[in-house]
Each structure stands twice: as C-alpha cells, then as structure tokens.
Amino acid sequence: MQVMQIIPDYNSSYAPLSRGVIASYLNIIKLNEKKLNSIDRNILKDLSVEFEYEMTGTLIKQNKLFSKNGVDNIFNNDKEKYLYFATDSGNTFFSKLDINFSQRGSSGDSLLNNSLLLGQFGLEFRGTLYDQVAYFLDLDFGAIFGNDSSDIAFASKTDNLLLGNYNFSQDMNNFNTFEGYLRYQTESNWLSLMFGRSKFISGLGYIDKLFLSENSYPFDFGKLGINYKAVNYTFAYGSIQGDSAEVYPVYTGVPLSAKNIATHSLNINFSNAFKLGLWETVIISQQPFSFTYLNPISFLTSADLGSGDEQTTKNNTLLGIEMEIIPVRNFSIQASLIVDDLTFGTLGKNDSLNENKYGWQFGTFWNTPYNADLIFEYTHLDPFVYSHRSNKSTYTNKGVPLGHSLPPNSDEIAARINYRFTNRIGVDLTYRFQRSGQGILLDSAGNLLANYGGDINFGLGDAYLRTNGFLDGMRFNRSIITAEVYWEPVNQFIIEGKFENRVTSDLQNNSSVSDFFYFANVFMGF
C-alpha cells in the first residue's frame, strides 16, 4: 500500500507498530478501496475484522468462545475469535488461545536425516487502560515429541527461535517462551514509552535488514519514541545475551557478566517519494548498567570513546544510513550502509590499515499488476562486520545475529516473488546466491597468523591482522532455494509450510554438499 502511494507516509524501517497506528492506515486504505484489486479488497476485509475495535470502536464481528453462540462461531469466516473480551470507557481486555503443531525434517550431506514433531499452545492477553497504556503478554508452552539429540540439534540449527531458546536443547522434552510489554503513549501519539520483551526491527531491507532484522531473538528493552509530522525518533536500551568464553581457546578472557545494547534511530520522510534514516548502536559488555549510554540525545560512538574506560574498544559500535526512493507508483528502491567501529583516523587508508568495516545493501521492490511482488536485493559485508575483537561484544543475542543473516566476509544476491492466489492463499519463492571467505591460520605453536573475518563469533585479529581482502580465505559458495506456502481456509486456522534446498560448494577442495529441510505447521486460534 505504501508503494501504491495509498499510505505514502508509512516507513518500513520501523517496527513493530501499535494496533492503533495499523488501524489508522487501514482506515486510509478503506477510503481508497476503489483503487484496490479484488484480492487486496478481500485482504482489507479480513484485516477490518481483526482490527474492528481499533478502526470503528465496535465489536460486532468479535466472538467470545464462552458465550451463547461462541462455539458455533469457531469456524465463522467473518468473526475474530477470542476466549473472552471486555471493554469499558477506554479500558479493554482481550484473551486468546493458540494451538499449533509443527513437523520438520531434513535430509542431505551435512544435515543428515532428521524428523521432529513439536506441539505448542499459547495464551495471549492484551488490552488498554484509559486509552493511553497498552499491555501485551504472550505465553507459549511447547512439547517435544521425540528426544533424539540429533533431531533437536537440527531443529535449532534451522530455526533461530529454537536456537535462542536454551531450554529447548537442554530439557529435550518441554520448552517455553514469552513476549510481553507495557506501552504508554500521549493522546496524539507524539510521545511513547515501551518496556518489555519483543522483537525490535530497524532497517529498510526488503528481504533481510542490515540493522535489526527479523532473524533476531526477542530481547528485553526500554524504548522511547517521538513522532512529529514527518520525523520519527526512537531510543532503546536493552539486555541481550552472549557467550561466556572466547571461541578461540588460547584467548579465554574473563567470563561474560553482562551484555547490553543501546540504539538510536532517526527516520525522516522528506516527501512521499524520498525517505532517509540514520541509525547507531553500541554493544556494551561487562557493564550491567551504564548511564553513559542511557542518554537518548547523544552520539553513542562518542559516548563510548569518552566513557573513560581504558579499553574503549571492548565495546562494539555501529553506524548506519539508509534511504528509500519511490520514483514511480508501485516501484521503490532502497540503499543502506553500515559502518562497524568507526575510526576517523584510518578513513581512506588501505585495507590493512583501515579499521573501518563496511556493509552495504541495495534493493528494489515492484508491486506488479498481477497480485505479485518482485523483489531484488544485493548485500555486501566486509570481513569482521558484526563480529568483534572479543566475542563478548559480537552483534548477536543468544548466538543469533541481530542484523543480516549473512556471515561476515560475504556477499549475497537475492531475488523473491510473493504471489497471492487469493486473500487466503499465497506463496513466496526466494533464491539466494552467497559467496563467503572463512577460516583462520595458525603457526606450529598455535599462534594466530591470520583471521579471514568470516565468523561472527570470532573477530580476534581485526585490529592487527587486517591484511586479508574481501573473500580471502577458504572460499564457499551457497545456492539456496526457499519456497513458503500459506493457506488460511478459515479465519484463524492456518496451514503453512517452508521447503528449502541448499547447495554449498567448497571451491578450495572442489567439492559440494547438498541439504534439504522442510517445516510444516498447523495453527488454530480462538
């Protein structure tokens, strides 16, 4: 709807959005309903049911399970189902029960043969207090049907939400997770405050984002948001988790006592056709809490260098700039740049002396007239981007990258088509071609001679062994084909699947491995 210029002020670099903001966009789309095709009109109809209260203040299309006709409406396509809800003068309460079963499996040279069935049920509670405070809590409890360690390791390797869930791999029988927060906003939404645990997304990437991506595992944070006309500013300070010991055994260091993240982002909509974003973050290790990074009006890189710490390089600072242009209706272009550990003194010097590491990305998005979106994106990451001299300050949470899923010292060409057969049936096809340089070199005594900067969890040597160029080291190419299908036969009853084939070529040894894995999920909500 943004590239169709129906909601031109929407900025995809900022998420999640409140239900009230989403409803305001839906109301604008509803006023422009004549510009939509039949499938988009049906999508709008479905969303108008889900966000009915926020859009109109009515509850006509909402169904309570524990009511006179509640059970009869479980399979009603025109009702949003809840366990219970109540509203009273700006105070609301909604509760849902979610049940889903997922089957996943693999075959191939490195993943081998695996099969695992998971069952999960969740309770969701949300609502508002006096129209200014929102609350949300999603509790999920899971059971593992089968306790083969190789199956569980496979599931963790191919699903970041399971990889970051430590009790999934440790318990091997049950697991649980939650997201929840409190959010306050002023009446006109010029100021908002949010505290809790959630995913936090920032960046314009259409397939994957350089700054804070959907790959990341949810973490706890406090966030301040300011909105004034075409300007949006956010500041967040959060707690993330990392490794307790160095990856490279010779350099063990001190166990990790704390790992935090502070981030600022400023998004400006200069016009309907041009948007600009500025972003910065710092990963802070071994400091449980610091007011140095809690100032919402500051330059984090300068704050880190001026902290008075003798080892200011122990923290990992990143800067970013991005822009989006919509030259014509239904077509957009985005470009993003990230600088890891900005050092002004070495800017412009050759690769071996320049301590600045760069990642960049550009992409296009075309909303075609045939119910399909065509997306192209190129991403480049220098050696050591996202990693750090100590793995305690890597740009990760629970071993999961906070940014792009691509490893450092790599690039990727990605293309995707999102096709909608109906408002309830869709398929996404994605092709990725990646090139990577990996590995380290040791002498006979075990001393580090070279690190090619291809491991996000091992950045040792980036300050004094930076003689390698892009894609130096052990060369690997990956071709990845992914198909994702979605079918919602009845509102809140969803069947979805993901199928991926990955071929990894070792150019040094002239060999390759091929792996296939699938994921199928049945979801029921009421």
Side-chain angles (χ1 to χ4, degrees):
M1 295 297 101
Q2 178 207 354
V3 297
M4 286 180 65
Q5 299 181 353
I6 292 178
I7 50 171
D9 63 333
Y10 168 71
N11 193 319
S12 63
S13 181
Y14 177 76
L17 300 178
S18 70
R19 290 180 65 90
V21 170
I22 294 171
S24 67
Y25 284 131
L26 291 173
N27 279 324
I28 295 172
I29 296 168
K30 201 170 185 65
L31 293 174
N32 293 271
E33 192 169 356
K34 292 182 179 179
K35 298 179 182 179
L36 307 182
N37 61 33
S38 60
I39 291 179
D40 284 340
R41 282 197 294 270
N42 285 329
I43 291 174
L44 176 62
K45 180 181 176 182
D46 288 342
L47 292 172
S48 297
V49 171
E50 180 179 353
F51 290 87
E52 177 194 13
Y53 183 76
E54 290 82 6
M55 292 176 67
T56 66
T58 62
L59 295 165
I60 298 170
K61 299 176 181 178
Q62 312 302 299
N63 177 70
K64 296 179 187 177
L65 182 63
F66 299 114
S67 64
K68 182 179 180 181
N69 298 314
V71 176
D72 296 336
N73 283 316
I74 285 181
F75 296 102
N76 190 326
N77 244 333
D78 298 318
K79 293 283 188 179
E80 186 75 8
K81 277 82 74 174
Y82 292 93
L83 286 177
Y84 179 78
F85 62 81
T87 62
D88 177 22
S89 302
N91 301 309
T92 65
F93 174 80
F94 295 86
S95 62
K96 280 186 178 182
L97 171 66
D98 300 332
I99 300 174
N100 71 78
F101 293 92
S102 62
Q103 171 67 40
R104 60 195 73 207
S106 68
S107 61
D109 300 313
S110 61
L111 288 179
L112 305 178
N113 294 324
N114 296 280
S115 180
L116 189 65
L117 175 64
L118 303 179
Q120 291 177 266
F121 77 92
L123 290 170
E124 178 186 304
F125 306 96
R126 65 170 177 85
T128 56
L129 300 172
Y130 304 105
D131 278 335
Q132 290 189 309
V133 176
Y135 58 89
F136 173 84
L137 179 61
D138 184 11
L139 302 170
D140 286 297
F141 306 90
I144 304 172
F145 298 101
N147 57 2
D148 188 290
S149 59
S150 63
D151 293 336
I152 291 173
F154 144 73
S156 297
K157 187 177 181 180
T158 54
D159 189 332
N160 282 346
L161 290 179
L162 297 180
L163 176 63
N165 192 323
Y166 291 151
N167 66 359
F168 173 78
S169 57
Q170 293 174 355
D171 189 284
M172 298 182 66
N173 288 299
N174 301 286
F175 61 99
N176 61 79
T177 185
F178 82 93
E179 292 186 43
Y181 56 79
L182 280 174
R183 185 179 184 275
Y184 163 81
Q185 70 176 39
T186 58
E187 185 175 354
S188 61
N189 196 26
W190 73 269
L191 174 70
S192 64
L193 296 171
M194 177 176 170
F195 296 92
R197 172 178 294 187
S198 176
K199 282 193 175 184
F200 184 14
I201 298 168
S202 181
L204 283 172
Y206 299 136
I207 295 178
D208 207 345
K209 299 180 184 294
L210 281 183
F211 301 163
L212 286 163
S213 72
E214 295 180 2
N215 305 311
S216 63
Y217 192 83
F219 59 91
D220 301 301
F221 61 85
K223 183 171 68 171
L224 165 71
I226 297 175
N227 296 281
Y228 178 73
K229 295 184 177 179
V231 178
N232 174 272
Y233 172 77
T234 62
F235 162 74
Y237 188 97
S239 175
I240 55 180
Q241 295 186 30
D243 300 322
S244 59
E246 302 288 349
V247 173
Y248 188 50
V250 175
Y251 303 89
T252 55
V254 179
L256 180 62
S257 60
K259 184 178 180 182
N260 295 324
I261 180 173
T263 181
H264 298 162
S265 65
L266 176 66
N267 294 293
I268 305 172
N269 296 350
F270 285 97
S271 70
N272 292 346
F274 179 65
K275 295 176 172 64
L276 178 71
L278 302 172
W279 171 88
E280 63 170 340
T281 194
V282 59
I283 304 297
I284 311 144
S285 61
Q286 307 294 44
Q287 296 184 61
F289 184 81
S290 173
F291 277 100
T292 301
Y293 308 101
L294 196 60
N295 183 356
I297 310 298
S298 66
F299 180 42
L300 289 173
T301 299
S302 179
D304 184 49
L305 294 174
S307 64
D309 197 310
E310 293 181 1
Q311 296 181 345
T312 54
T313 56
K314 75 179 183 181
N315 294 331
N316 192 3
T317 58
L318 300 97
L319 294 172
I321 184 170
E322 59 182 354
M323 64 181 67
E324 183 178 57
I325 301 171
I326 303 179
V328 294
R329 189 170 180 264
N330 291 318
F331 186 79
S332 64
I333 304 169
Q334 72 88 9
S336 305
L337 171 69
I338 193 170
V339 184
D340 193 343
D341 287 327
L342 177 66
T343 305
F344 292 103
T346 62
L347 281 172
K349 295 186 177 181
N350 63 42
D351 290 342
S352 62
L353 297 176
N354 193 337
E355 295 184 20
N356 301 281
K357 297 154 286 186
Y358 303 97
W360 66 83
Q361 179 186 79
F362 63 86
T364 61
F365 183 103
W366 179 29
N367 177 39
T368 74
Y370 308 106
N371 301 317
D373 303 323
L374 298 181
I375 305 169
F376 170 84
E377 201 158 75
Y378 173 78
T379 305
H380 169 108
L381 298 181
D382 277 351
F384 298 103
V385 168
Y386 295 141
S387 66
H388 200 59
R389 294 154 202 179
S390 164
N391 75 315
K392 297 177 178 65
S393 298
T394 57
Y395 196 59
T396 61
N397 177 33
K398 294 190 173 185
V400 178
L402 290 166
H404 203 286
S405 59
L406 192 67
N409 198 15
S410 302
D411 66 355
E412 174 186 87
I413 296 174
R416 172 177 293 174
I417 177 171
N418 302 330
Y419 186 78
R420 298 174 295 279
F421 295 95
T422 71
N423 58 311
R424 299 283 182 86
I425 303 175
V427 60
D428 299 343
L429 298 175
T430 306
Y431 173 74
R432 290 183 171 94
F433 177 74
Q434 301 175 348
R435 304 183 301 171
S436 296
Q438 301 174 199
I440 62 174
L441 290 179
L442 307 174
D443 64 16
S444 59
N447 298 310
L448 182 65
L449 294 178
N451 180 0
Y452 294 109
D455 186 343
I456 194 172
N457 285 310
F458 182 45
L460 191 68
D462 71 328
Y464 55 89
L465 293 174
R466 295 283 306 281
T467 57
N468 53 290
F470 179 62
L471 295 182
D472 280 356
M474 300 174 60
R475 274 293 314 280
F476 292 89
N477 290 348
R478 289 178 291 273
S479 293
I480 306 168
I481 300 175
T482 306
E484 297 176 86
V485 295
Y486 173 93
W487 179 34
E488 189 175 8
V490 179
N491 186 32
Q492 293 173 253
F493 288 77
I494 301 168
I495 300 171
E496 56 187 345
K498 178 180 179 180
F499 309 89
E500 183 170 295
N501 188 74
R502 178 183 297 238
V503 178
T504 303
S505 301
D506 182 342
L507 274 62
Q508 181 173 329
N509 296 310
N510 194 28
S511 62
S512 64
V513 296
S514 178
D515 288 296
F516 170 81
F517 80 87
Y518 70 89
F519 166 88
N521 186 64
V522 177
F523 171 91
M524 297 167 285
F526 46 86

